Amino acid sequence: IDGKICIERELGVVPTNREFEDLISYFDVLKTCKWISDNNYSKVCLQFPDELLNVSAVIFEEIKNICDVDLYILGDTSYASCCVDAVAAMHVQGDAVIHYGRSCFTKSNIPVFTVLPKKELNLSSSMKTSQDKFDSDKLDKLCLFYDCEFEHYKDEIEKSWYQQYPNSYIACIEMDENRKRFLGRLVRDVNGEVYNSDVLKNCTCIYIGFSGQTLFIYTISIEAKQWFSLNPETLEIVSKTETAWFKRRRFLIEKCKDANTIGILICKLAGDQTKDIISRLKDLCKVNGKKSYIISVGKPNVAKLANFPEIDIYVMVACPENDLYNNRDFYKPIVYPFELEVALNSNREPYFTSHVTDYDELLPGNKHYCDLNEATETTDVSLITNKIRETKVNSSIESSMELAEKQSMALETIGQNLQERSWKGLEQKLGETEVKKAEEGRKGIPLQYNNEPE
């Protein structure tokens, strides 16, 4: 094969299947401009997911025609497109971010205006399907969740739902901060009263939308009597259970207990909560006598993490909707911060029926925070390897000399691990190489360089 063909080959652009009849209304351009003007922002970033980059320039022009503001388009976000890319906005000293597409509704340290996607919903058919399955809420209360694509139907959904089920609840999308908000939702009744998520333990929850990561996060994070999904296109209602997934997570908790070296994998954008959870995870490792390393490699993949063979298990700091937690392609397993908490915090209940995917809830002052006690030296048996497992804990009160010796020993251990590798990376060898004039190097691609015989 001629390498020249690969280099000069023209790549066609695949057009998107999605067409927007009215960009102004679909992307809330007028509301966006009003928000910018009301807050007197002078420099604003427009963040788009990959599937909307084809319309980003058009929206840019529409906003510019209405508002006198400097705009920047953000694409290819540092981690997940559902997270606000505050880091990229800081690079241009942006005052605020307009976030387009699906959102995980996590906290951000920069003002955000969220423009959710919009999809048509046959509300009457969906409500009729629900009534055929659940004719009344007199015995069992219900709670309705709907996909963020149907947020523009919010008023119609509330009216139809409360007419049908006056004693039940709706988990509405909530953009603003609220102590009772969870996963971007607030539970309200027909009178508008807001409830804590604990009220759902006695409810049957129904999700109008399509199966995906969002529904999965709800079913594992929110404890309810039962979960059902209602597909608005096929009008099919399916019961959702994640028994096998919970078994897998309990296995990984045991792997956390076996691990000696833990990698704290940063996959979340800047924010005070990110710093706080990193400190919390480091403390968990420290009191249990485990080594921890902070690793930031942008968007993680198998090849990047394979560069750290010393790590026994990774705990990933990411938004709840990041699907890397369930990716089994990596050489070492990846766990949630909550799972490391269950493994290493003796104050936590070892058996759980619901998961905490939002690590903010693990921090002080929040619902799932649990005090951390100093661990004691113990011995038990690993349920995976059947070997004796020792927890060696050092005293928290150490002299400066002892601390310096430990730090030196830790650095020596890292250096020894690097020396044992067959490939140590690029080496500068300063002063060891002969000085030569610049000469023409190799040309072409690895498949066939120009100076190689055909």
Side-chain angles (χ1 to χ4, degrees), residues 78-141:
S78 303
Y79 300 107
S81 60
C82 61
C83 298
V84 176
D85 199 342
V87 173
M90 290 175 187
H91 290 165
V92 295
Q93 291 82 46
D95 300 324
V97 172
I98 311 297
H99 182 276
Y100 295 89
R102 304 186 72 89
S103 173
C104 54
F105 304 104
T106 52
K107 296 178 184 177
S108 177
N109 53 359
I110 189 171
V112 179
F113 184 84
T114 304
V115 179
L116 294 172
K118 296 178 176 65
K119 196 177 183 71
E120 292 297 321
L121 172 64
N122 189 335
L123 184 57
S124 58
S125 298
S126 298
M127 288 294 106
K128 185 179 183 305
T129 303
S130 174
Q131 192 169 27
D132 292 340
K133 178 73 175 179
F134 311 99
D135 59 345
S136 172
D137 61 355
K138 291 181 180 179
L139 296 178
D140 291 327
K141 288 190 176 182

Side-chain angles (χ1 to χ4, degrees), residues 32-198:
T32 301
C33 292
K34 185 178 184 303
W35 184 76
I36 294 173
S37 301
D38 290 347
N39 292 281
N40 296 318
Y41 295 131
S42 59
K43 192 178 291 185
V44 176
C45 298
L46 310 180
Q47 180 182 335
F48 294 90
D50 292 345
E51 64 270 17
L52 292 179
L53 284 175
N54 62 311
V55 297
S56 59
V58 181
I59 297 172
F60 177 98
E61 292 296 335
E62 293 289 353
I63 296 176
K64 285 289 286 185
N65 291 337
I66 301 174
C67 284
D68 182 18
V69 60
D70 290 337
L71 296 177
Y72 296 84
I73 294 177
L74 306 182
D76 189 27
T77 53
S78 303
Y79 300 107
S81 60
C82 61
C83 298
V84 176
D85 199 342
V87 173
M90 290 175 187
H91 290 165
V92 295
Q93 291 82 46
D95 300 324
V97 172
I98 311 297
H99 182 276
Y100 295 89
R102 304 186 72 89
S103 173
C104 54
F105 304 104
T106 52
K107 296 178 184 177
S108 177
N109 53 359
I110 189 171
V112 179
F113 184 84
T114 304
V115 179
L116 294 172
K118 296 178 176 65
K119 196 177 183 71
E120 292 297 321
L121 172 64
N122 189 335
L123 184 57
S124 58
S125 298
S126 298
M127 288 294 106
K128 185 179 183 305
T129 303
S130 174
Q131 192 169 27
D132 292 340
K133 178 73 175 179
F134 311 99
D135 59 345
S136 172
D137 61 355
K138 291 181 180 179
L139 296 178
D140 291 327
K141 288 190 176 182
L142 308 175
C143 183
L144 177 69
F145 287 73
Y146 55 87
D147 193 88
C148 66
E149 292 181 322
F150 306 131
E151 172 66 7
H152 58 296
Y153 284 101
K154 177 181 178 180
D155 294 338
E156 294 93 325
I157 290 174
E158 289 183 356
K159 182 179 178 180
S160 298
W161 179 259
Y162 289 133
Q163 282 181 350
Q164 199 162 298
Y165 306 109
N167 301 316
S168 293
Y169 310 101
I170 296 181
C172 303
I173 291 174
E174 180 61 42
M175 307 286 188
D176 300 326
E177 288 298 320
N178 189 298
R179 292 291 302 169
K180 294 184 178 180
R181 191 180 81 150
F182 62 97
L183 300 175
R185 304 272 175 163
L186 276 180
V187 177
R188 290 190 174 96
D189 63 10
V190 66
N191 298 315
E193 185 177 348
V194 177
Y195 293 83
N196 195 290
S197 60
D198 291 339

